[in-house]
Structure formats: C-alpha cells, structure tokens
DNA sequence: TTCCTTGCAAATCGTTTGCAAGCGC
DNA sequence: GCGCTTGCAAACGATTTGCAAGGAA
C-alpha cells in the first residue's frame, strides 16, 4: 500500500508574516485581527491566505488555537500548557499559569479510558477593569 | 432615569419542547440536532425559534452552552459544574465529575483580580472506541 | 389589549473552496 | 519543472434579523 506522505510545508513570506503577527501581540487575535496586523507590512495578502496559514501553523504546533464561548477561533503563540481568563464584557484574554496537577490529568484519563492529548481550562467572568465600569448584567 | 425591566419570558409550547428535547438526550446536541428532535412532535417549529429559545433558556440558567474547538455551540441540560471529554474523531462528549478543587478557583480569582463566574475544563483526545478504529492522525 | 413570540425568508458573519497564476525547492 | 501556495471571488454553513401574524397574560 502506498505511503502517502503529507505535503512538505514550504516557507513563504506570507506564512512567516502570519506567524510573526501572532507572536507580536499577546491579545490572542482572531483571523481578522491577524489579517489587519499583517497587512501593515504586506498590503496585498488575502484573508484566505491568513486563514490557511493560521490552520497550517496550528497543525505544525507553532500556534495554538483557542476559543471561548460565543467567540470565534483565536490564536495564541504561547504553545506551552497554560490556562485562560476570558472577560465576558471586553472579550480580552489573560494567560494564566498551568494550575492543573498532572495527577488530575492522569485520573481523568483513567476515568475516560481515552487518551488525553490536550485540555483547555478557561475561566469566565468580569476582569477587574470591567467589574468597575460595567453593570453586572453586561 | 427610567428603570428598563427585562422582558418577562412567557411560557410557550415551543420553548418547553426545546428544553425537553435537550433534557431528553445526553449527547450535548447543537441547534440543528435539537431542531430535528423537536420536529418529531412539532413539525412546524422553525429553526429560528429553536435558536432563540436555546439562547433564552441558557440565559435563564436552565441550559448550559458548551463549545469545543472547531465545533459549533452545543447545549447541556446538566447545569451543575462538571467537565467534559471531547473525542476529536467522533465528536462525542462525555460528562465528567468536577475535579477542580475550590481552592484552585479561589487562587485563580486572586491572581486575575477578576470575578470568576464559571469555568470550562475540556479534555481533548480519542475515546476508547475511536482509539481502536482510527489511525492516530485521524 | 399589550407586547412577547412565532414562522418565514432574507441577511449576515466567519470561514472555506475552486481556480488560474505565481513562486519555492 | 513539479507541486505547494497565493489572491480573488464565489460558495458555504451556522446563526441572526426584520417583519407581519399569532398567542400568552
């Protein structure tokens, strides 16, 4: 049976620019925001190219896809395990250190009889800034 | 200044049917699946009504919205805090007991200076069934 | 009677895809 | 030169919206 090799990803200026754009901010940008960032230096790049490269870079493990309730996919250049706080008012995201003990992961793996490849631990609430300036019902 | 009261939600047969549909399954259905379920007994309900009532019931706290990476919003009738295992191959979801100690929640709250209203702890991997029948690269 | 709710259809949003031309290796 | 990659525009799937008629309180 034929060994179908995966396509070897070439390095293009667009791909590098997309990666650099995500790495340059700590806002966990979505595709549209990455598009805006990249266009500053590369005005002809298309949105489709941004989408394609974001997926590809995530597959390669150079970026991490994250998503919060009711929001679109966002991208994170911090690929080491960590957690997030998402403000439901301003939609900003804060990175938090990993707090989930390895023992909890293993226990869950035993309970599910599945293999855990990654996890997402997302906290939702109001950030300190929005807590002051927003009514609690948003 | 005028106190604008929120609309008082009326009870309609459609709304009750949507809630019952989600409660009747443990598959964490999305809007389309709820629509299919409800139409069995109520063939004229519209998809828009299903969407509107799912949101409304979630606002009321009678349903919980959940979402996994690359998937659409789903609904869960289990509103008590618990966690999920999501199989990336068959997209089935398993409920897991809450494993996050209260102490971790409080510590995070202190770190973020925000108020944590809820959290989502989602594990991703292959379930025991898909682990056997699927190649690891999916 | 009030005004929330529905069904329908159209609109919108985020994302993906087909295709011909371009470019990395 | 081969074949991955791009820009463009069209297509797509999921969800939301405007509106007039219907129904709960």
């Amino acid at each position: 049976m034929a060994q179908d090799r995966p396509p070897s990803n070439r390095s293009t200026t667009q791909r590098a620019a997309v990666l650099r754009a995500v790495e340059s901010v700590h806002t966990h940008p979505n595709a549209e925001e990455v598009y805006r960032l990249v266009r500053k230096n590369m005005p002809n790049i298309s949105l489709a190219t941004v989408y394609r490269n974001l997926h590809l870079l995530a597959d390669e493990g150079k970026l991490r896809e994250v998503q919060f309730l009711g929001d679109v996919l966002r991208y994170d250049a911090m690929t080491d395990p960590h957690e997030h706080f998402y403000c439901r008012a301003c939609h900003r995201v804060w990175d938090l250190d990993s707090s989930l003990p390895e023992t909890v992961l293993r226990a869950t793996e035993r309970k599910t009889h599945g293999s855990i490849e990654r996890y997402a631990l997302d906290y939702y609430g109001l950030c300190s800034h929005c807590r002051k300036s927003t009514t609690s019902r948003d």
Side-chain angles (χ1 to χ4, degrees), chain A:
Chain A
M1 124 187 1
Q3 182 83 7
D4 53 354
R5 68 225 120 91
S8 54
N9 300 331
R10 294 181 177 167
S11 86
T12 65
T13 51
Q14 287 89 338
R15 184 158 307 157
V18 167
L19 178 57
R20 240 181 307 107
V22 179
E23 288 173 339
S24 73
V25 293
H26 36 237
T27 54
H28 306 75
N30 61 29
E32 194 68 45
E33 290 158 351
V34 175
Y35 180 49
R36 276 202 292 275
L37 285 168
V38 174
R39 260 196 309 186
K40 289 181 186 170
N41 301 308
M42 191 178 277
N44 294 320
I45 196 171
S46 78
L47 182 54
T49 295
V50 171
Y51 271 103
R52 282 186 284 234
N53 280 312
L54 285 172
H55 285 313
L56 194 146
L57 290 163
D59 283 348
E60 291 181 345
K62 292 178 183 158
L63 291 180
R64 174 169 161 186
E65 297 185 312
V66 296
Q67 186 165 30
F68 305 97
L69 274 174
D71 202 345
V72 300
L73 271 181
R74 294 180 172 218
Y75 291 85
D76 192 343
M78 257 285 293
T79 54
D80 299 332
H82 65 283
E83 299 157 9
H84 293 114
F85 177 86
Y86 179 83
C87 176
R88 66 167 165 84
C90 65
H91 306 145
R92 273 181 294 190
V93 177
W94 282 262
D95 286 312
L96 304 171
D97 291 335
S98 180
S99 67
L100 204 61
E102 184 68 17
T103 53
V104 172
L105 275 175
R106 293 304 136 238
T108 303
E109 207 152 36
R110 247 177 287 117
K111 275 189 286 186
T112 59
H113 301 287
S115 51
I116 293 172
E117 296 161 356
R118 57 167 292 190
Y119 73 90
L121 176 47
D122 303 325
Y123 296 93
Y124 293 85
L126 289 177
C127 70
S128 57
H129 181 265
C130 289
R131 193 142 57 143
K132 289 168 200 144
S133 46
T134 315
T135 91
S136 64
R137 24 185 24 266
D138 196 6

